[in-house]
Amino acid sequence: MDTMKTYRYAAIIIAVTVILLSAVSAAYAVEDDIFGLWQYREIVTREGQKTGEASVEEAQGVLLSDLEAMPLGLLGKVFGKLNYTAEFTREHRFALNIRVLGMRFSAQGDWSAQDGRMTLIYDEITGFESLWWLGGFAHLSHCDAEHTMIETVPYAEANDTLTFRSNGADLIFDRE
């Protein structure tokens, strides 16, 4: 009888271990799809919401979840070709780089992804002081390793397309 109980406990422990390992490997598999360089394609407004309508969580955004403070559509229309890349490394570092009309903007930091949401911890943001005339960028010039900024934004990755859901719009990148 004791041998039978031991086998049952062993079977339960093995089953739980297999389930936990598959859940962990599934989480890493989703994360693996994010690694690499992504090129900005477009902003697509979602029906029923206007850019600028944000939940409390989204309202605390920095760059990806705050399209009102980062008017990519306006920059592209006013200044011409917008070159915007996002890179995510296996060391969980990210770099956002924007070039338009000879101006360069960049942001770097650490990232993590869980349950369809990406959290970015910015520890360096540069170049945005040149957009003082647009307003809303003053807080970005105060970011450094000692004064980090954090944003969490919903995202989806499928078919070499990375989409950030932001203030009623989708910010779409293609794998480079």
Side-chain angles (χ1 to χ4, degrees), residues 46-119:
R46 284 181 268 141
E47 256 184 66
Q49 293 181 319
K50 297 178 185 173
T51 300
E53 289 181 6
S55 68
V56 172
E57 190 173 37
E58 289 176 319
Q60 298 170 6
V62 180
L63 295 177
L64 289 178
S65 68
D66 191 358
L67 292 182
E68 210 165 72
M70 188 59 212
L72 297 175
L74 175 65
L75 288 174
K77 287 176 186 170
V78 172
F79 295 122
K81 187 171 185 333
L82 176 67
N83 184 352
Y84 184 1
T85 60
E87 183 174 13
F88 300 96
T89 69
R90 293 190 184 281
E91 293 78 29
H92 287 267
R93 293 288 295 168
F94 73 88
L96 304 177
N97 292 294
I98 302 169
R99 287 190 321 238
V100 61
L101 195 67
M103 293 187 288
R104 292 178 181 262
F105 313 99
S106 65
Q108 297 178 18
D110 296 311
W111 68 274
S112 63
Q114 184 176 9
D115 298 329
R117 300 181 75 72
M118 184 178 290
T119 299

Side-chain angles (χ1 to χ4, degrees), residues 112-155:
S112 63
Q114 184 176 9
D115 298 329
R117 300 181 75 72
M118 184 178 290
T119 299
L120 300 147
I121 303 172
Y122 295 87
D123 56 30
E124 183 180 341
I125 299 176
T126 59
F128 290 92
E129 56 278 354
S130 62
L131 294 178
W132 60 269
W133 54 274
L134 280 176
F137 288 97
H139 69 290
L140 298 179
S141 61
H142 302 297
C143 177
D144 57 33
E146 293 179 15
H147 305 92
T148 59
M149 292 185 199
I150 299 173
E151 77 175 327
T152 299
V153 59
Y155 78 96

Side-chain angles (χ1 to χ4, degrees), residues 6 14 16-17 20 29 34 37 43 53-54 57 71 85 91 107 111 129 131 145 149 151-152 163-164 174:
T6 303
I14 290 171
V16 168
T17 303
L20 288 174
I34 298 168
L37 184 63
I43 294 175
E53 289 181 6
E57 190 173 37
T85 60
E91 293 78 29
W111 68 274
E129 56 278 354
L131 294 178
M149 292 185 199
E151 77 175 327
T152 299
T163 304
F164 292 99
D174 293 321

